[in-house]
Amino acid sequence: MNLSTFIMAFVVLTLLMSITYFYMFAKSRERFIQFWALSWLAYSGSLFLLILSYNFGSEVPLELRKLLDLLNITFLLFGAYSFMHIRIPSYWSRFALYLFIWVLIGIYYNFDVLSVYLPVFAYQIIATSVLCTIVFKYWNVPFPEKGLSITIFMIWGFGKAIISIYEAYFYDISSLYQFEIIFSNILNFCIFVIYLYRTKDSMVFTERFYRIIAENATDVIFYYELLPNPSFRYITPSVEKVTGYTPEDFYSNPTFYRELAVPEEIDALSAFFNGNKQGEEQKVFKIQSKDGALIWIEINGDVLYEGGAAAAVKGIMRDITKVKEDEETLLSSKRSRDLLLSYVSHELKTPVTAILGYINGLKDGTFKSEEETNAALDVIFTKSLVLQRLIQDLVQLSKLEAKQFSFEMTQISALELCENLISAHTLDIQASGFKLETSVDTTLLDKVELIVDTKRMEQVTSNIIFNALKYSKKNGIIKITCFLDRHFKNLVVEIADDGPGIPPEDLPYIFERFYRGSVPALQNEDLGSGLGLTLSKEIVQAFNGDIWVQNAKGGGSIFTFTLPVFKDFLAY
Ligand code: ADP
């Protein structure tokens, strides 16, 4: 094969390479590929000029070749800058342009060969050195690859520069051209490998990057394949945090989502995972986690279609239980606030209207006799007491609920507390015509102590006893029993009456604020506010105790409250 056929083969090869780079650039829009394409385009032009000079025995194409070689190395340098994400210094373009003009002038005015070749030689040496420095400093690969690449760059760049000087002295250097062409193509190949390396690197990086994001996300990302067979193709490990089930549970059972759905949601969730239109509408589902807790999840998903059929469903699942709960709390607190306001205004309106009515009667002389006037004053007094009590109760309740009530806590023996509570009410009970029976486990109660606010506990007991007196017939029996529970952890106080008891339909509500049952009060009817038991419950709970009511078998009701024991001498 003669030299011109050899070179022609490489012209085509380099041109093809350049076209490949242009194509790759059109696809990826990465600037360094564009520079590489331009660089190899210039080189294939340069080789073509070499054939011309070889065939026509002229020096002009060889000199013109210097222009294309200049472009070749400049674009290669620019490619290196942008490959490493470094801004290309503007002086390079200026240098290259001046040199380009200088060579043109040199050819035109037929300057001495060396005065054209030498500046190009110097430019090639400098550009190659910078190129190698860039690769050395910024290319992040292990040393063998880096060393090899730099060596090839150096052999090519310096070699080419030296060959051009040789060319000035010896016209026929065909074997050196062969060397240059082969090396240029090795370099070209080397650059291509560098590119592939980086693409692989960036793919690995991208994959790792997305994997890290997916696996550390608190939301659950999933890909559910419908065709050819329904199955979970991918679900992030976060699913275990949200549902308690592992990704393997989902991978091994294509309809595992059905196990999670609460019965009323199974159809909707199935519709969603089957890619039905109906499934796309519902976004929030109630599911049951592995530990049995009910949780709310919000799914934002898309159906992927293939030839008109739903082929997969992908999406993100988010646990919105907290948001839902907050929403519910907000709603119920708004509801209870509205309820409170309507009750308060109703409860206040009744006594206030009565008071105003009687005061008006007094003012305009409706009540003539002294008895009538006294009776009116009595009503005003009683209604004012109701008002006063209602207001006091409301203030106390709102403070208790807001945990702003200040208690005066004291350490007291359970026995002493029980005796105090009983003695504080003995006279009231007897004066109301009731019989008091007590049963106190003195031996055990003496051995434990409690920490409570005794005044507030008196309030609780008087609420219960006052109700017992209010709702039972006179001459009834009130029985107070105090003992320790069987684990010796709580003081238990039971207050029983032999009244009508509490109708079963009232039982669940009597501790609710303003709830007044259907049992008619037999005494002191007007003094009830429906807040007494609510307050009692709040107070007992503030001391970590509990309170409840049940109906006694033989009739009447039994109110029971417990208070936790603080110091337990039984253990010693
Ligand atoms: P009130 O001011 O109406 O007594 P409470 O909160 O103290 O409000 O009690 C709520 C309701 O519980 C009462 O309206 C009454 O129907 C019922 N109740 C409370 N104690 C007794 C009892 N010992 N016997 C029968 N019903 C009772």
Side-chain angles (χ1 to χ4, degrees):
M1 187 167 63
N2 68 20
L3 186 64
S4 70
T5 328
F6 174 81
I7 301 174
M8 198 57 206
F10 279 100
V11 170
V12 175
L13 187 76
T14 326
L15 204 61
L16 279 177
M17 205 65 206
S18 159
I19 293 169
T20 314
Y21 281 135
F22 272 124
Y23 176 74
M24 277 160 53
F25 170 68
K27 288 256 155 204
S28 69
R29 310 305 299 174
E30 289 187 283
R31 259 184 93 207
F32 62 89
I33 301 182
Q34 186 188 28
F35 286 129
W36 289 348
L38 289 169
S39 165
W40 296 111
L41 185 67
Y43 188 62
S44 78
S46 145
L47 285 183
F48 188 69
L49 288 175
L50 192 61
I51 299 174
L52 288 186
S53 106
Y54 195 72
N55 285 342
F56 299 107
S58 156
E59 261 184 47
V60 180
L62 274 188
E63 288 176 343
L64 282 176
R65 231 196 124 204
K66 295 287 152 261
L67 289 174
L68 292 176
D69 283 349
L70 194 76
L71 292 178
N72 172 224
I73 185 131
T74 308
F75 284 133
L76 209 59
L77 184 67
F78 285 2
Y81 274 114
S82 68
F83 185 78
M84 307 293 175
H85 303 289
I86 310 167
R87 216 171 68 88
I88 303 168
S90 58
Y91 53 76
W92 282 112
S93 318
R94 280 204 298 276
F95 274 178
L97 183 69
Y98 298 153
L99 210 56
F100 199 87
I101 296 168
W102 173 252
V103 174
L104 272 181
I105 295 171
I107 296 168
Y108 189 75
Y109 289 105
N110 219 355
F111 285 172
D112 172 43
V113 181
L114 268 187
S115 59
V116 174
Y117 279 29
L118 263 181
V120 178
F121 165 84
Y123 181 81
Q124 262 179 338
I125 295 284
I126 297 169
T128 307
S129 313
V130 174
L131 201 87
C132 293
T133 319
I134 292 173
V135 173
F136 177 75
K137 261 176 85 174
Y138 301 105
W139 198 32
N140 203 7
V141 289
F143 186 73
E145 279 101 324
K146 198 188 251 189
L148 188 71
S149 310
I150 292 173
T151 316
I152 292 170
F153 271 114
M154 278 187 352
I155 297 175
W156 169 80
F158 296 148
K160 224 171 128 130
I162 293 163
I163 287 172
S164 75
I165 295 296
Y166 242 77
E167 202 179 75
Y169 288 102
F170 315 99
Y171 179 63
D172 186 16
I173 50 164
S174 49
S175 54
L176 282 180
Y177 285 141
Q178 286 181 23
F179 164 81
E180 182 216 291
I181 293 166
I182 289 171
F183 244 86
S184 292
N185 281 281
I186 292 178
L187 180 83
N188 203 344
F189 178 73
C190 187
I191 288 173
F192 197 65
V193 171
I194 289 178
Y195 172 70
L196 290 182
Y197 213 111
R198 185 183 123 138
T199 316
K200 190 185 120 233
D201 225 47
S202 71
M203 267 166 65
V204 170
F205 171 77
T206 316
E207 207 214 288
R208 254 190 55 204
F209 179 69
Y210 285 117
R211 190 163 281 274
I212 288 171
I213 291 183
E215 315 233 303
N216 290 290
T218 42
D219 293 347
V220 179
I221 302 166
F222 64 89
Y223 187 92
Y224 186 69
E225 212 167 57
L226 289 166
L227 294 175
N229 298 310
S231 65
F232 277 95
R233 278 301 300 273
Y234 181 66
I235 189 153
T236 43
S238 49
V239 74
E240 195 173 349
K241 258 202 200 124
V242 177
T243 65
Y245 294 102
T246 64
E248 278 63 41
D249 292 326
F250 288 83
Y251 293 138
S252 57
N253 180 357
T255 54
F256 194 70
Y257 54 84
R258 293 178 70 92
E259 316 267 318
L260 302 177
V262 292
E264 65 270 25
E265 300 269 12
I266 290 184
D267 289 343
L269 209 58
S270 299
F272 174 83
F273 278 102
N274 286 320
N276 292 353
K277 278 271 165 294
Q278 173 214 348
E280 274 176 50
E281 280 152 25
Q282 184 168 352
K283 283 202 152 87
V284 177
F285 299 92
K286 202 176 185 182
I287 61 167
Q288 196 159 24
S289 66
K290 197 174 182 177
D291 60 12
L294 287 176
I295 51 175
W296 291 94
I297 51 161
E298 184 187 44
I299 307 185
N300 281 305
D302 294 303
V303 182
L304 308 176
Y305 293 94
E306 231 176 66
V313 182
K314 66 167 175 59
I316 296 180
M317 228 185 257
R318 176 170 294 175
D319 182 355
I320 54 160
T321 314
K322 178 88 186 55
V323 180
K324 274 270 171 195
E325 278 172 1
D326 288 354
E327 231 171 60
E328 301 259 306
T329 321
L330 207 74
L331 256 175
S332 81
S333 76
K334 189 181 172 308
R335 238 181 282 139
S336 72
R337 204 183 52 217
D338 292 350
L339 205 68
L340 178 75
L341 271 178
S342 77
Y343 274 132
V344 169
S345 52
H346 175 259
E347 294 294 318
L348 288 177
K349 218 154 65 190
T350 325
V352 169
T353 316
I355 293 170
L356 282 177
Y358 281 99
I359 290 176
N360 269 337
L362 285 173
K363 267 175 71 184
D364 58 23
T366 313
F367 308 113
K368 301 265 180 320
S369 67
E370 205 183 319
E371 285 104 78
E372 278 178 335
T373 312
N374 282 342
L377 283 174
D378 271 351
V379 176
I380 294 172
F381 180 72
T382 325
K383 297 284 176 192
S384 305
L385 276 185
V386 172
L387 265 185
Q388 190 194 32
R389 183 148 168 228
L390 181 68
I391 291 165
Q392 275 171 355
D393 284 356
L394 272 173
V395 170
Q396 194 181 14
L397 185 64
S398 70
K399 278 191 178 168
L400 279 166
E401 283 179 340
K403 310 255 177 287
Q404 281 170 354
F405 193 88
S406 50
F407 291 105
E408 280 174 32
M409 305 296 260
T410 42
Q411 188 170 332
I412 185 169
S413 100
L415 180 64
E416 196 183 337
L417 178 76
C418 290
E419 284 172 350
N420 285 353
L421 294 181
I422 293 169
S423 63
H425 296 97
T426 309
L427 277 179
D428 282 341
I429 294 170
Q430 286 165 353
S432 306
F434 283 78
K435 197 172 161 231
L436 174 66
E437 282 179 11
T438 59
S439 156
V440 180
D441 183 346
T442 40
T443 37
L444 280 182
L445 293 188
D446 197 24
K447 295 188 169 59
V448 293
E449 294 200 349
L450 315 167
I451 293 188
V452 285
D453 181 330
T454 47
K455 278 262 167 313
R456 292 305 124 214
M457 282 322 297
E458 231 168 72
Q459 187 185 344
V460 172
T461 336
S462 70
N463 278 339
I464 298 171
I465 293 175
F466 190 74
N467 277 343
L469 300 177
K470 193 162 70 169
Y471 294 104
S472 313
K473 277 200 199 106
K474 278 217 165 113
N475 302 324
I477 302 170
I478 307 286
K479 185 167 185 200
I480 303 178
T481 316
C482 304
F483 57 98
L484 276 191
D485 70 358
R486 58 195 173 99
H487 301 293
F488 310 119
K489 293 280 181 235
N490 293 287
L491 162 70
V492 185
V493 179
E494 281 178 2
I495 302 171
D497 63 56
D498 57 357
I502 296 161
E505 64 271 20
D506 288 342
L507 267 178
Y509 308 109
I510 63 160
F511 289 99
E512 278 183 18
R513 58 166 78 141
F514 295 114
Y515 190 85
R516 301 178 80 177
S518 45
V519 180
L522 302 175
Q523 282 103 56
N524 296 322
E525 192 191 350
D526 280 338
L527 289 180
S529 67
L531 284 175
L533 290 179
T534 319
L535 277 171
S536 304
K537 189 168 182 170
E538 287 286 339
I539 293 170
V540 173
Q541 283 180 342
F543 304 141
N544 297 319
D546 204 358
I547 184 167
W548 65 90
V549 65
Q550 69 210 102
N551 282 323
K553 283 205 181 77
S557 54
I558 307 170
F559 280 86
T560 312
F561 66 80
T562 63
L563 289 170
V565 164
F566 166 64
K567 226 181 199 166
D568 180 357
F569 295 105
L570 291 168
Y572 304 104

